[in-house]
Amino acid sequence: MGEFKVHRVRFFDYVPSGVCCMAYSEETERLAVARNDGSVEVYNFPANYYQETVIPGDDRRTTQSICWAPGGRLFSAGLNGEIIEYDLTKLCVKYSLDAFGGPIWGIAASPSGTQLAVCCEDGSVKLFNISPEKIVFEKSLNRQKDRILCLAWHPSGSQIVTGSVNVIRVFSVSSGHLLHRLKVDRRTSAVRNRECVVWSVAVLSCGEVISVDSTGKLQFWELDNGTLLRTYNVTTCDILSLAVNQSEDSLLVGTAEGLVLQFQRLATQTGKPEQQWVRTKPFRYHTHDVRAVAHSSTALISGGVDGYVVSRPLMEKVQTKSYEAALRKITFPHRHLVSCAQASRLLLFQFPGHLELWRLGQTNESGIDGDLLNVSKEQELLLQLKRKGSECIRCSTISRCGSWVSYATSSRLFLHRLHYDQDNIRISRVPKVPQLQTLQLLFSPDSKRLYVGSEGGRVHVLELSEGACQHSHTLERPSGSSHPVHLLAASSDGSLLAVASANAQIDIYDVKKLKYECSVPQYNCTPAAIRIHPSTNNLVIAYPDQQILEFSIAQKQYTDWSRKVLQRGLHRDWVERDTPITGITFNPTRAEHILLHDNYMFCVLDKSLPLPDDKTPLVNQNSLKQLSESARRSHAHAFKITKRFQPLLFMDLLDDGELVLVERPLRDILAQLPPPMKQKKFGT
């Protein structure tokens, strides 16, 4: 597998922000997730649930509800009283509009996709027309005395149902008048005369209203007459979220105790048309409140205070064992929050509001495989750099020599120069940095250039000098594009730059001559990681569907090894992994070795060994060590995998050949979350 001195870095104090709301689009098969820090993430379900888009947050933005509109348009609303539409090509806020109703608690698009409704703190429901460019205020429905916390459209678009404290209301969209006022029973076995908060509502095409509330009840109401049909006492705590699937035969609720429950509409007797709602499946994949749930055609999706996005497949809806059949618990972003200065042994950690620069520890000892070496010099926090303004940090990077640090928010680009004097460090901000739309950042290997990936697949080249920078050139895609830059990778000799766009197009540029070189044949999903080999200048690409390809830039075609992979296919156990490869690097002493990692696996891919077939077990290194030398040789194949290090957020090799692995144990994250709701357990 190759021997390395390994730095197991566990001092990256990363805690994912909690999920506050989510929305699934059947049209685009995308899941939008809004978090407490104001950021919005978009997951691509056909591409193995890959996190293809991240729009950074803002301290001035508090998202309370999010929804999709036809055409793949994404809207959100929050407690700052503004409605926001997002630009998913520029990865930023397209515009914001004040609803003039105080804090907004809910937002929903009409079934026809022509109107947007929001419910406000002042008791009003406001309607907006959705035009091609923006939304335009249309009218307000009859204003009520108390705040409105949630709303839902009737599938016909003729009525809107809202939920408040102790009451559910039904409005006519055409006249704006209140049609029904349904009073919710607030009596519970534990506490009487407590306010009953209706947290979420839904409306079925048969004319039934579904509500969930703070007393733990799931209730069904008859819409025309406003009568209560059925009540399910689900739990003794709050039910915070509700989602119904498109066929209206399954619904999902999330509770404050971390429990997710599914109800299905089933026939009371075989062969008879009568049906009733039955609780079928409880799931406990969360430790804290489940604030948001969504229902796709094949999966139940949930998120909450613990920051997890969990997708539980409906096995009866999945015909074959595929990506849809895997249980996913997405904890960490599918992008790097860590960058490494390989020559100076520095790590740069990215947080939403600041950056941290650390110097790695050192040891004077040596040992054999598996030995733990004593550290002669501990790791050291050199610098904490706080952002400017209220916008969260989108991306950041450090140069290979450790002399430059750059980061960007949604609207500004910052560049800093670092000066080292033995144990002292001095930082100076570079003035007059060109203000460019920045999505990705990368320093050249010689630290003389900064590459800025932008919208439309463009890359801006900034020339660096002592304490200054200047925009020198812009690399444009030869065919033109509206898709933003997704990934950047530079060759170690500084001559080539690979640019991957969000539409899965990868272009190669000769940055010494500042001209376009070639393009990789376009794949069917966006790449998850790319890297250029230091000796062969071949581009290695990892895709979310677990495919690994190698492209020869010199010959402008896939390599022979890559063609063999395409012909034979990769091992079944490898392809069925549900976490994308997020990091690629190379062993400088063995050109045939490719080092890969995802959150739960570290792999050395040896191209000199044969690819395993599906009958060969894809065993890990601990299993191989138990075998004899002859048996080990008979089991040898290209994939050498270990799961000793996890969860893995970052991997890279220093210039002296030492391997850096950044881990973030889940127990450390849970220790920093607020305490969950206390639950009585048997025997305690």
Side-chain angles (χ1 to χ4, degrees):
M1 185 171 183
E3 292 187 357
F4 306 96
K5 276 187 178 179
V6 178
H7 292 266
R8 296 187 68 174
V9 175
R10 292 190 172 186
F11 47 84
F12 180 26
D13 198 19
Y14 168 75
V15 178
S17 181
V19 175
C20 57
C21 55
M22 60 174 58
Y24 178 74
S25 170
E26 292 284 356
E27 177 190 358
T28 61
E29 296 184 275
R30 300 295 198 273
L31 176 73
V33 176
R35 296 187 179 268
N36 293 333
D37 62 1
S39 63
V40 174
E41 304 163 355
V42 178
Y43 294 84
N44 186 339
F45 278 29
N48 202 7
Y49 290 64
Y50 181 60
Q51 187 190 76
E52 64 179 10
T53 298
V54 177
I55 300 173
D58 191 313
D59 289 346
R60 298 168 299 181
R61 190 165 67 236
T62 55
T63 306
Q64 193 68 26
S65 184
I66 194 166
C67 73
W68 291 95
R73 298 174 67 177
L74 184 61
F75 295 89
S76 75
L79 300 183
N80 61 352
E82 292 183 339
I83 304 171
I84 293 173
E85 182 175 5
Y86 297 94
D87 191 323
L88 298 182
T89 58
K90 297 181 180 180
L91 307 186
C92 62
V93 173
K94 186 175 182 180
Y95 62 86
S96 62
L97 182 68
D98 197 326
F100 294 101
I104 301 175
W105 291 95
I107 184 171
S110 64
S112 63
T114 59
Q115 291 175 299
L116 203 65
V118 296
C119 55
C120 305
E121 177 77 13
D122 67 354
S124 64
V125 175
K126 299 179 184 293
L127 299 183
F128 295 81
N129 284 324
I130 302 177
S131 64
E133 295 300 322
K134 60 186 303 184
I135 59 174
V136 180
F137 176 74
E138 181 184 354
K139 65 178 179 179
S140 292
L141 307 186
N142 282 2
R143 183 174 170 181
Q144 306 302 307
K145 292 183 179 180
D146 53 346
R147 69 177 64 167
I148 299 180
L149 299 173
C150 56
L151 82 165
W153 288 82
H154 189 283
S156 66
S158 60
Q159 295 169 322
I160 289 178
V161 177
T162 66
S164 302
V165 178
N166 300 327
V167 66
I168 297 171
R169 297 182 177 92
V170 181
F171 293 89
S172 169
V173 173
S174 58
S175 66
H177 296 324
L178 178 66
L179 301 179
H180 298 291
R181 189 174 184 272
L182 316 179
K183 199 164 184 179
V184 180
D185 185 7
R186 57 186 180 178
R187 291 176 297 173
T188 64
S189 57
V191 180
R192 294 186 178 273
N193 298 323
R194 184 181 69 175
E195 285 188 341
C196 179
V197 181
V198 180
W199 287 119
S200 185
V201 292
V203 188
L204 304 182
S205 54
C206 64
E208 291 186 5
V209 176
I210 309 173
S211 67
V212 293
D213 55 48
S214 60
T215 63
K217 296 192 298 291
L218 169 68
Q219 295 184 312
F220 291 80
W221 307 78
E222 203 272 324
L223 182 62
D224 292 334
N225 299 317
T227 57
L228 178 63
L229 299 177
R230 291 175 297 278
T231 297
Y232 297 87
N233 292 310
V234 177
T235 179
T236 58
C237 63
D238 292 52
I239 301 179
L240 300 172
S241 48
L242 167 69
V244 182
N245 68 342
Q246 198 171 31
S247 57
E248 297 184 354
D249 59 1
S250 174
L251 66 87
L252 191 64
V253 297
T255 72
E257 58 186 351
L259 193 65
V260 178
L261 300 105
Q262 184 194 13
F263 287 75
Q264 289 180 285
R265 191 164 59 184
L266 303 174
T268 55
Q269 292 184 10
T270 305
K272 293 190 176 181
E274 291 83 6
Q275 293 181 326
Q276 65 179 2
W277 288 94
V278 179
R279 188 173 81 173
T280 56
K281 299 171 185 175
F283 311 110
R284 190 180 292 278
Y285 298 120
H286 297 274
T287 59
H288 292 66
D289 300 12
V290 180
R291 293 289 180 85
V293 291
H295 206 314
S296 74
S297 58
T298 57
L300 312 174
I301 310 143
S302 58
V305 174
D306 54 16
Y308 301 149
V309 176
V310 179
S311 173
R312 172 66 165 81
L314 294 170
M315 300 309 295
E316 66 271 16
K317 301 288 186 180
V318 181
Q319 301 300 322
T320 60
K321 191 174 183 181
S322 63
Y323 300 125
E324 294 180 339
L327 171 67
R328 288 172 174 79
K329 194 172 185 178
I330 304 171
T331 309
F332 302 102
H334 297 162
R335 59 192 175 100
H336 281 161
L337 300 176
V338 181
S339 53
C340 180
Q342 297 90 343
S344 51
R345 304 170 60 87
L346 301 176
L347 290 179
L348 183 69
F349 297 150
Q350 176 184 321
F351 297 88
H354 69 278
L355 303 175
E356 289 183 359
L357 183 64
W358 289 78
R359 179 179 285 132
L360 288 168
Q362 294 181 349
T363 181
N364 298 324
E365 300 179 3
S366 60
I368 61 174
D369 184 23
D371 284 353
L372 296 177
L373 307 181
N374 294 318
V375 176
S376 59
K377 187 177 181 180
E378 294 285 342
Q379 72 272 6
E380 181 184 3
L381 176 61
L382 300 179
L383 177 70
Q384 187 178 93
L385 180 61
K386 295 184 179 180
R387 69 173 189 227
K388 298 291 184 182
S390 62
E391 295 177 333
C392 293
I393 298 174
R394 179 197 294 275
C395 56
S396 61
T397 187
I398 186 171
S399 63
R400 188 179 189 88
C401 63
S403 298
W404 298 92
V405 168
S406 181
Y407 74 91
T409 63
S410 295
S411 61
R412 299 189 66 185
L413 172 63
F414 298 88
L415 180 63
H416 292 80
R417 178 76 162 150
L418 301 179
H419 306 271
Y420 302 91
D421 182 13
Q422 296 181 353
D423 293 335
N424 298 322
I425 182 172
R426 181 168 54 87
I427 183 170
S428 58
R429 179 179 167 186
V430 177
K432 299 181 181 179
V433 175
Q435 292 308 309
L436 307 166
Q437 176 71 26
T438 305
L439 304 177
Q440 292 290 330
L441 290 169
L442 180 69
F443 284 102
S444 62
D446 60 4
S447 303
K448 294 182 178 179
R449 284 178 170 176
L450 175 62
Y451 301 116
V452 179
S454 188
E455 57 183 316
R458 290 184 289 272
V459 178
H460 304 284
V461 182
L462 304 184
E463 299 288 344
L464 307 179
S465 59
E466 185 64 32
C469 75
Q470 184 177 2
H471 184 278
S472 65
H473 191 76
T474 298
L475 301 172
E476 298 270 2
R477 287 191 60 185
S479 58
S481 173
S482 61
H483 297 277
V485 171
H486 179 62
L487 295 170
L488 295 173
S491 61
S492 58
D493 60 4
S495 62
L496 298 170
L497 179 69
V499 181
S501 299
N503 65 337
Q505 180 66 44
I506 304 176
D507 300 310
I508 315 296
Y509 297 91
D510 185 329
V511 289
K512 289 188 175 179
K513 299 179 181 179
L514 295 175
K515 69 172 187 176
Y516 166 79
E517 189 71 20
C518 62
S519 293
V520 179
Q522 193 164 355
Y523 199 64
N524 58 8
C525 57
T526 305
I530 59 175
R531 197 75 178 260
I532 298 178
H533 198 285
S535 58
T536 63
N537 273 352
N538 291 338
L539 177 66
V540 177
I541 312 161
Y543 290 99
D545 63 356
Q546 314 305 346
Q547 189 67 258
I548 300 172
L549 299 177
E550 185 182 41
F551 182 80
S552 172
I553 299 175
Q555 299 178 5
K556 297 181 175 59
Q557 62 181 7
Y558 287 125
T559 63
D560 293 338
W561 179 84
S562 190
R563 294 179 186 278
K564 188 188 302 182
V565 170
L566 291 171
Q567 291 171 1
R568 292 195 53 183
L570 296 174
H571 195 281
R572 180 187 63 236
D573 292 343
W574 177 271
V575 173
E576 289 177 354
R577 291 168 35 256
D578 61 354
T579 308
I581 295 293
T582 53
I584 303 174
T585 191
F586 305 97
N587 188 346
T589 61
R590 298 188 182 182
E592 68 277 7
H593 283 188
I594 303 174
L595 279 59
L596 311 163
H597 87 89
D598 63 14
N599 287 147
Y600 303 103
M601 171 277 312
F602 172 74
C603 173
V604 176
L605 179 56
D606 191 342
K607 296 192 299 177
S608 64
L609 294 177
L611 293 170
D613 56 25
D614 289 346
K615 296 180 181 179
T616 303
L618 201 67
V619 293
N620 60 29
Q621 294 308 297
N622 291 331
S623 301
L624 284 176
K625 288 179 181 178
Q626 310 300 323
L627 304 177
S628 63
E629 187 65 31
S630 59
R632 200 179 304 171
R633 283 196 298 270
S634 66
H635 284 81
H637 54 72
F639 291 94
K640 299 175 175 62
I641 298 172
T642 179
K643 295 186 178 181
R644 181 180 180 183
F645 313 104
Q646 59 176 320
L648 267 178
L649 299 188
F650 180 78
M651 167 208 66
D652 208 347
L653 275 173
L654 302 179
D655 284 356
D656 57 10
E658 296 177 358
L659 183 65
V660 178
L661 299 175
V662 179
E663 299 174 277
R664 185 57 175 148
L666 295 178
R667 63 178 181 272
D668 294 346
I669 294 177
L670 292 176
Q672 298 190 40
L673 295 176
M677 193 185 78
K678 187 176 181 180
Q679 302 175 41
K680 177 67 177 177
K681 295 185 178 180
F682 178 76
T684 61

